[in-house]
Amino acid sequence: MRMLTTLLLMHGMADDNVPFGHTTRLMAAMQEAGQMFDLMTYPGQRHGIRGAALQTHLMKTRMSFLDRHLKPSGD
């Protein structure tokens, strides 16, 4: 049985290091391959997400992803 790998993609929409078009190409390739992923975008943010509220959101997003995918079943 093939195990599906899940990836968390997080992208600042104003990132000048990684254009969003590159991320959409990655998403399309993953969809074609049947690979699962979660996506969180940050409008107006660059490569580093700034601001206390957004930093909190970023950390909660990461923790939620890890809780969903790394906790043993039945917990």
Side-chain angles (χ1 to χ4, degrees), residues 19-74:
F20 193 65
H22 293 180
T23 302
T24 59
R25 287 195 339 239
L26 173 62
M27 292 186 299
M30 290 180 67
Q31 290 166 342
E32 284 291 324
Q35 295 296 311
M36 301 304 294
F37 63 92
D38 290 352
L39 172 67
M40 179 59 64
T41 60
Y42 289 92
Q45 294 295 305
R46 295 185 182 274
H47 198 69
I49 308 302
R50 300 188 188 276
L54 292 180
Q55 283 289 313
T56 298
H57 188 274
L58 186 75
M59 186 56 67
K60 286 182 178 180
T61 300
R62 290 173 178 156
M63 295 307 295
S64 174
F65 177 83
L66 292 172
D67 282 345
R68 286 192 318 272
H69 296 286
L70 295 180
K71 277 191 174 177
S73 58

Side-chain angles (χ1 to χ4, degrees), residues 11-20 22 45-48:
H11 200 285
M13 298 299 295
D15 190 337
D16 53 358
N17 292 310
V18 182
F20 193 65
H22 293 180
Q45 294 295 305
R46 295 185 182 274
H47 198 69

